Amino acid sequence: MTKVKICGLSTKEAVATAVSAGADYIGFVFAPSKRQVTLEEAAELAKPIPANVKKVGVFVSPSRAELLEAIDKVGLNLVQVHSQVADELFENLPCDSIQAVQVDGNGHVPNSQADYLLFDAPVAGSGQTFDWGRLDTSGLAQPFFIAGGLNEDNVAQAIQHFTPYAVDVSSGVETDGQKDHEKIRRFIERVKHGISRTK
């Protein structure tokens, strides 16, 4: 069963909806973004999340000290890092790690010491898909997430194409820049059950 990450959550209501609908991962964005939250805000949002739902912190070019502080304060289960970073960043972290890869024209897949890879559009959070045909995941050692422009209408196709470990959505479950609770529920239903409730 493909797992689901709902990313960029910033309200307790949206977190509660994602958890109750069956999300496997909840993503908090600590990088500059309209979805950015502080460590303190994320720690509050994380409190009611049950142990079986993993908390992910999203960073761009973080220092090791930043990662360790966020892991400690928020109780993160994974850190997701965007941008090319030295492999040492991922060594001996107290939680699992995800290296985000923005898929460009050549579909190059970097070697990474991270526990997971995540493939995203050239502009993360833009709601744009990347060219799926350019990405060859057949030789990957790590399990991987597919992100980038996913929504309830194309996620089943993405799963069929890639057979990923997990799918990741943020803007695809928003309306007018805010998390849409019905879209969150429908997206997770489509992944878990291959269906979409009538709108």
Side-chain angles (χ1 to χ4, degrees):
M1 173 72 76
T2 308
K3 295 186 181 297
V4 180
K5 175 168 167 271
I6 306 292
C7 201
L9 297 179
S10 57
T11 68
K12 59 181 185 295
E13 293 82 9
V15 169
T17 294
V19 168
S20 67
D24 302 285
Y25 297 90
I26 300 293
F28 299 120
V29 177
F30 299 119
S33 156
K34 63 185 179 183
R35 304 177 184 95
Q36 184 177 14
V37 292
T38 65
L39 295 185
E40 292 72 24
E41 288 167 339
E44 280 302 309
L45 292 169
K47 280 180 181 174
I49 296 176
N52 63 312
V53 179
K54 305 300 184 190
K55 301 176 288 291
V56 185
V58 180
F59 304 83
V60 174
S61 304
S63 67
R64 189 175 175 85
E66 286 176 75
L67 294 183
L68 292 173
E69 181 186 18
I71 293 165
D72 180 56
K73 282 192 174 174
V74 184
L76 297 176
N77 304 106
L78 298 98
V79 292
Q80 175 179 320
V81 177
H82 291 252
S83 74
Q84 283 299 310
V85 293
D87 274 337
E88 294 78 63
L89 187 74
F90 298 119
E91 289 177 2
N92 301 314
L93 285 174
C95 71
D96 283 349
S97 55
I98 305 170
Q99 170 73 64
V101 179
Q102 281 155 302
V103 180
D104 55 19
N106 63 22
H108 172 67
V109 177
N111 290 320
S112 173
Q113 294 299 313
D115 298 291
Y116 300 88
L117 295 174
L118 179 146
F119 295 104
D120 204 347
V123 179
S126 65
Q128 301 296 308
T129 56
F130 61 87
D131 183 348
W132 294 349
R134 289 191 176 275
L135 179 62
D136 178 10
T137 58
S138 60
L140 287 182
Q142 299 106 314
F144 63 93
F145 291 66
I146 292 292
L150 297 182
N151 55 50
E152 63 183 287
D153 296 321
N154 66 10
V155 69
Q157 188 183 350
I159 291 169
Q160 194 173 16
H161 184 91
F162 289 108
T163 319
Y165 168 77
V167 290
D168 181 354
V169 66
S170 184
S171 58
V173 291
E174 291 178 351
T175 298
D176 298 327
Q178 300 296 320
K179 287 295 183 281
D180 182 315
H181 295 230
E182 271 306 304
K183 285 184 178 178
I184 290 171
R185 291 187 189 99
R186 290 200 302 263
F187 183 90
I188 294 171
E189 279 193 2
R190 179 61 65 91
V191 176
K192 302 288 187 183
H193 306 293
I195 58 170
S196 185
R197 290 189 310 195
T198 53
K199 296 180 182 178

